[in-house]
Amino acid sequence: MRYQPIERDPGAFQQFVPAAVMSQLCARAFGAGIAVEAVVELPWGTYNNAYRVELAGRPPVVLRIAPQPDRQFRVDKALMRNEYAAVPYFAPIADLMPQIHFADFTHQIVGRDYMVESLLPGVPAPEGMGRYPRPQWSGLFRNIGAATRRIHAVSGPAFGPIAGPHHSRWSDALITYFRTAAEDVCDTGCDPTDARALADAAGRFGDVLDEITEPRLLHGDGWTANFLVDPETVDLPLTGICDWDRAEWGDPFADWAIQRALLRPGSERDTFWDGYGRARSDAAGIRQEFYRARHALALRLAHIQSGNGEGVATTYQEVDEILTGLR
């Protein structure tokens, strides 16, 4: 077996598994009778390690390995298990989803969760976008909007991550997130005051937040890199959707895909709303400020993991502006 991991600094968040352990994982996932020709790490994402696995006489697959549990933030705890639990609810976009061939959460071989998925066709959207001038990206964002709408059409039993904890009120789900994120921020040595203030503010604005009474399915990480496209077609049609490990039940306008679509008004991103079937202005109001803050905190934790001090500082500025507006 040819094993080609990505070499990283010993202090980097993502760490590959040793070759001997990889051989054991493959034997368990594919069976001793299946020859594994090559395992090559893919430069995708910043959380899980992803590998393309070449099998003798079979189509290639993707092996994804989660971080060690003690390296995960509380708000990111057991994301791969949440992803696995969410699979049935994504049935409306089954044509765009990878099939899960194998999952092992026992930690009997390695102290990390891992799954094997089918390899979807296409390339990550940023790679496909790079082949065309910006005005031709409008088709992609229209397609992302349409797919996001299909996801949001699914309703659920309660608010919160698919695998739990669940809440009967949307405000409680947000308060829990802010309080948990504050603990994570504190653990890193950074100031958690603004995250705690957001939890308090969510309590004060509970009546507004709880106008959302029907939990809807959210992808949770719908930025362009998690959408695969056919780069040979100028409209950049979607060929796959990846990494729904942050899937949850909540307000559709809290979803990451919506937040990204709001970034640059007057640009090619505006066609997202044509595909989604709602007006951009529907995302305005007090709830939107809490959603902005929640995603700012998620970015803060990601920047802390990657050592991006400038990015961390930017999130403090953004949350401070939001809190000022909520006072």
Side-chain angles (χ1 to χ4, degrees):
M1 180 185 81
R2 178 171 62 90
Y3 182 37
Q4 186 177 326
I6 295 175
E7 298 288 344
R8 297 181 176 88
D9 184 89
F13 178 73
Q14 288 178 305
Q15 293 292 326
F16 65 86
V17 299
V21 175
M22 179 60 75
S23 295
Q24 294 179 60
L25 293 182
C26 289
R28 182 164 189 154
F30 308 118
I34 304 298
V36 178
E37 297 178 341
V39 179
V40 178
E41 189 166 5
L42 302 167
W44 296 352
T46 58
Y47 195 75
N48 301 305
N49 294 78
Y51 302 85
R52 179 187 173 104
V53 182
E54 301 286 346
L55 303 170
R58 296 192 178 193
V61 294
V62 173
L63 167 63
R64 296 169 61 234
I65 305 178
Q68 295 95 326
D70 62 0
R71 295 175 67 86
Q72 300 173 21
F73 288 124
R74 294 176 181 83
V75 293
D76 295 334
K77 203 69 174 177
L79 287 181
M80 188 169 285
R81 301 185 189 198
N82 186 66
E83 183 172 14
Y84 188 79
V87 169
Y89 299 106
F90 282 89
I93 58 164
D95 55 316
L96 296 171
M97 300 282 282
Q99 294 182 343
I100 308 298
H101 295 312
F102 183 82
D104 184 0
F105 305 147
T106 66
H107 293 190
Q108 292 175 339
I109 294 176
V110 63
R112 302 164 66 175
D113 294 342
Y114 63 96
M115 292 199 306
V116 177
E117 306 172 353
S118 58
L119 178 65
L120 294 171
V123 301
E127 181 180 334
M129 295 159 70
R131 303 189 185 190
Y132 301 97
R134 293 186 73 97
Q136 293 182 332
W137 298 354
S138 58
L140 167 66
F141 288 102
R142 184 180 300 107
N143 297 334
I144 290 176
T148 301
R149 184 68 174 186
R150 290 165 66 188
I151 295 171
H152 291 172
V154 180
S155 58
F159 296 103
I162 303 301
H166 293 151
H167 304 273
S168 59
R169 298 186 302 183
W170 179 224
S171 62
D172 289 336
L174 291 175
I175 291 169
T176 296
Y177 179 87
F178 291 135
R179 287 178 176 166
T180 306
E183 294 181 51
D184 286 330
V185 171
C186 186
D187 286 347
T188 69
C190 294
D191 186 358
T193 302
D194 59 351
R196 292 169 178 162
L198 285 167
D200 293 340
R204 293 197 308 272
F205 286 97
D207 289 347
V208 177
L209 295 171
D210 292 333
E211 290 174 1
I212 303 301
T213 58
E214 184 177 19
R216 295 299 186 100
L217 180 63
L218 316 186
H219 178 283
D221 198 14
W223 64 306
T224 52
N226 286 334
F227 292 92
L228 303 180
V229 300
D230 175 3
E232 304 302 325
T233 304
V234 69
D235 197 40
L236 295 172
L238 299 184
T239 60
I241 297 178
C242 308
D243 293 356
W244 59 96
D245 47 7
R246 289 175 170 80
E248 66 174 329
W249 301 113
D251 178 3
F253 281 93
D255 208 354
W256 187 240
I258 297 285
Q259 299 304 304
R260 302 300 293 180
L262 292 168
L263 277 181
R264 286 190 285 275
S267 70
E268 65 282 343
R269 290 178 182 268
D270 285 351
T271 56
F272 173 94
W273 304 103
D274 297 334
Y276 190 71
R278 296 279 296 273
R280 180 190 188 90
S281 58
D282 289 349
I286 289 175
R287 287 192 294 272
Q288 168 59 17
E289 295 307 297
F290 283 103
Y291 304 159
R292 282 180 56 212
R294 189 175 72 150
H295 289 292
L297 287 180
L299 285 174
R300 179 181 301 171
L301 293 171
H303 291 321
I304 290 172
Q305 283 176 337
S306 65
N308 181 357
E310 183 178 350
V312 172
T314 298
T315 67
Y316 277 101
Q317 295 169 6
E318 182 174 3
V319 173
D320 181 64
E321 293 172 0
I322 293 169
L323 285 169
T324 298
L326 291 173
R327 290 190 181 103

